[in-house]
Amino acid sequence: MHPSLLSGDPHDESLRAHVQPADWQNPEPIAGRYNLVVIGAGTAGLVTAAGAAGLGAKVALVERGLMGGDCLNVGCVPSKGIIAASRRAAAVREAAEFGIDPGPTAAKPDFARVMERMRRLRAGIAPHDSAKRFRDLGIDVFLGSARFAGADAVEVGGARLRFAKAVIATGARAAAPPIAGLDSVPYLTNETLFTLTELPRRFGIIGAGPIGCEMAQAFARLGSDVVLAHSARGIMPREDRDAAAVVRRRLERDGVTLLGSGDGLRLSPAAGGGVRLHDPSSGADYTVDRLLVAAGRAPNVEGIGLESAGVEFDAENGVRVDDRLRTTNRNIFAAGDVCSPFQFTHAADFMARIVIQNALFFGRKKASSLVIPWATYTDPEVAHVGITPQEAEARGIAIDTYTQPMAAVDRAILDGETDGFVRIHTKQGTGKILGATIVAAHAGDLIGAISLAMAQGIDLGAIASAIHPYPTQAEAIRKTGDLFNRTRLTPKVKRLMEAILRWRRR
């Protein structure tokens, strides 16, 4: 059984039967060349293979682990299943604020059932990424380790696959950061976290990026005493500082203890198999039963023969690609986490679409043209797209910023979800949207409207003219457009309008 799955669990056995079937027989390679050989069956590889095959290409897809990659098996899908359960627990506990008495025992989560539900739902999603489905799409699916055998061939399980074009979509994996004492203690990563069946009474998490913050809040709401250790940059260092502050307050309200240890954290074994977290600078000292390391990722570039294929790479940044996602071997492309700073499922999806066009049809699509949003599914959620003020300053771009607090949006007030804001950055003096941050209960859903506007060149004033249903939280975006339009009412324009109205009163 794969280490990220539970041996003997019926749901994980079902999952494996779809994404790593034990009785799978690799096909015989075709006699000539494949139009496309894809290495890796995560999001980037699956989208590339399915899209190319649908257009008539002869495609081979190779996967050494679980088809579906991180997203299905150890990322988006299982984590959101746990988050959904934790939100229900929080809603029950907070029901009294809405005049509803949940009763004395209603909000005690059963962690084993929470995790069983997650595994059941994950297994239900698995057929979409299954080996059988992709075989039925006309793709030659090979399960095993691939290795380049020169510039135009891949070997897997003793078979040689010749190609006209190839795609490296091997993704990335959890990588332990350099923390004193980490090698002396047991710890979980996202690749093993979802095998837990018992709730840790005391749970330590190192790393306060998206995964760390999401899991800290979820496990705290499910009943763990959580300590979240973050760097000197604070929690969610990539995000707007006001956005991070909103999330920080909510984490603390949910009972998460924040440990700002910077680079000075020290780990050591504790009695009973636990782990001691010590920060010499502050004197803070905590003992936890289980530890999750949610900091650090490494691209999967080892052991696939990139050197023999003429593909340049490094262990930190992965495969080197140009704006058209070509590697230094012009017949080999790369997509997804193995080559991208945007390590998101949706980014891998759209990079794969670029690869299909450029590899098979002489396209000239550029990765830099993509408008890539992202979201962190804490409560409230934080979503972002485009540039930040810091990036704008570094690039010498003058911007205007418009902020609409959720506390002034009627539906957010009625829902009891007033923490957060919509903040949109435009090119100075214009309505051209350059970036946005949304902090709201459903920010991940709301940011799509801003992404659409940016991708289609719709300015902020035009958003204000689009009628939104009342009352909705999405109205916050329209209200932000109103803030922009009010700036168009300059003193000169106002005086002119007043003069016209005086004349019309005569």
Side-chain angles (χ1 to χ4, degrees):
M1 181 64 70
H2 193 277
S4 64
L5 305 179
L6 281 175
S7 180
D9 178 77
H11 304 306
D12 278 2
E13 295 284 358
S14 173
L15 172 71
R16 187 185 177 190
H18 289 295
V19 299
Q20 195 188 55
D23 58 352
W24 186 260
Q25 296 292 319
N26 285 341
E28 287 293 325
I30 63 174
R33 294 192 302 173
Y34 287 96
N35 295 108
L36 205 61
V37 170
V38 182
I39 303 176
T43 298
L46 294 177
V47 172
T48 301
L55 294 171
K58 189 59 181 174
V59 180
L61 175 64
V62 187
E63 173 54 54
R64 68 181 180 186
L66 304 177
M67 292 187 64
D70 273 16
C71 184
L72 171 67
N73 299 293
V74 296
C76 315
V77 170
S79 66
K80 302 313 169 283
I82 294 172
I83 288 169
S86 74
R87 288 183 176 181
R88 298 307 191 279
V92 172
R93 282 195 291 269
E94 296 167 2
E97 298 177 14
F98 294 81
I100 300 169
D101 183 2
T105 63
K108 291 185 177 179
D110 184 333
F111 185 75
R113 289 174 58 194
V114 167
M115 298 301 280
E116 186 274 337
R117 174 185 179 273
M118 176 274 291
R119 295 193 302 274
R120 171 169 51 84
L121 296 180
R122 179 175 61 178
I125 293 171
H128 184 75
D129 294 348
S130 68
K132 179 182 182 300
R133 174 177 180 254
F134 280 78
R135 181 180 62 192
D136 291 347
L137 291 175
I139 297 165
D140 285 352
V141 178
F142 294 83
L143 298 184
S145 296
R147 186 176 183 87
F148 282 101
D152 64 350
V154 167
E155 292 183 347
V156 53
R160 188 179 182 91
L161 317 179
R162 295 182 61 234
F163 60 79
K165 305 289 182 182
V167 181
I168 302 162
T170 49
R173 65 186 184 279
I179 299 174
L182 182 59
D183 57 354
S184 69
V185 300
Y187 62 90
L188 302 163
T189 69
N190 72 293
E191 295 170 3
T192 52
L193 172 67
F194 303 110
T195 62
L196 287 178
T197 56
E198 295 183 6
L199 180 73
R201 185 174 67 83
R202 301 169 299 180
F203 195 33
I205 301 177
I206 296 175
I211 296 172
C213 287
E214 288 176 358
M215 292 298 98
Q217 185 176 53
F219 274 76
R221 288 176 162 187
L222 292 172
S224 289
D225 292 331
V226 178
V227 176
L228 176 61
H230 61 80
S231 71
R233 295 180 295 165
I235 72 166
M236 304 175 72
R238 293 183 63 182
E239 303 294 351
D240 180 297
R241 289 298 81 201
D242 291 339
V246 173
V247 174
R248 181 187 181 104
R249 289 193 294 271
R250 183 63 204 228
L251 290 176
E252 291 175 331
R253 198 169 99 196
D254 283 325
V256 176
T257 298
L258 293 166
L259 176 59
S261 57
D263 297 326
L265 187 65
R266 300 287 186 270
L267 304 176
S268 59
V275 179
R276 179 187 176 214
L277 289 74
H278 178 64
D279 176 23
S281 62
S282 67
D285 202 292
Y286 300 94
T287 297
V288 298
D289 301 308
R290 300 302 296 264
L291 177 68
L292 169 66
V293 177
R297 300 279 290 170
N300 292 320
V301 292
E302 301 86 358
I304 55 176
L306 295 177
E307 301 90 344
S308 63
V311 174
E312 293 184 10
F313 68 96
D314 66 69
E316 182 177 351
N317 300 305
V319 174
R320 176 184 164 194
V321 293
D322 64 13
D323 204 14
R324 297 179 195 168
L325 300 180
R326 297 175 299 190
T327 71
T328 46
N329 178 331
R330 293 308 175 95
N331 290 323
I332 300 177
F333 291 71
D337 292 1
V338 74
C339 65
S340 174
F342 298 100
Q343 299 204 350
F344 314 114
T345 295
H346 48 280
D349 182 329
F350 278 80
M351 292 175 74
R353 298 168 192 236
I354 288 176
V355 164
I356 293 169
Q357 296 175 71
N358 291 352
L360 299 181
F361 299 103
F362 311 103
R364 301 175 67 84
K365 296 291 184 179
K366 296 182 177 181
S368 61
S369 67
L370 296 176
V371 177
I372 301 176
W374 67 74
T376 299
Y377 297 96
T378 49
D379 180 16
E381 297 175 355
V382 178
H384 177 82
V385 66
I387 66 172
T388 64
Q390 294 76 17
E391 291 169 338
E393 183 178 4
R395 291 161 57 181
I397 301 173
I399 62 172
D400 295 319
T401 297
Y402 304 91
T403 300
Q404 172 63 46
M406 297 303 293
V409 176
D410 291 354
R411 181 58 183 272
I413 295 170
L414 297 169
D415 289 342
E417 296 171 341
T418 55
D419 289 343
F421 52 83
V422 172
R423 178 167 291 165
I424 299 177
H425 311 294
T426 63
K427 184 177 180 181
Q428 191 173 73
T430 76
K432 181 179 180 181
I433 301 173
L434 300 180
T437 292
I438 300 178
V439 187
H442 310 288
D445 294 307
L446 298 179
I447 199 68
I450 307 300
S451 298
L452 174 63
M454 292 178 65
Q456 299 302 317
I458 300 170
D459 72 19
L460 189 50
I463 288 178
S465 69
I467 300 173
H468 289 59
Y470 175 88
T472 60
Q473 294 197 24
E475 196 181 17
I477 297 174
R478 195 265 303 160
K479 284 176 169 285
T480 312
D482 287 343
L483 294 175
F484 165 76
N485 282 339
R486 290 189 195 110
T487 68
R488 306 299 92 189
L489 187 62
T490 64
K492 182 177 180 180
V493 172
K494 186 176 181 180
R495 287 195 301 271
L496 176 60
M497 294 177 72
E498 289 173 344
I500 292 172
L501 291 172
R502 280 197 305 269
W503 174 79
R504 296 197 68 180
R505 290 198 297 268
R506 293 177 181 175

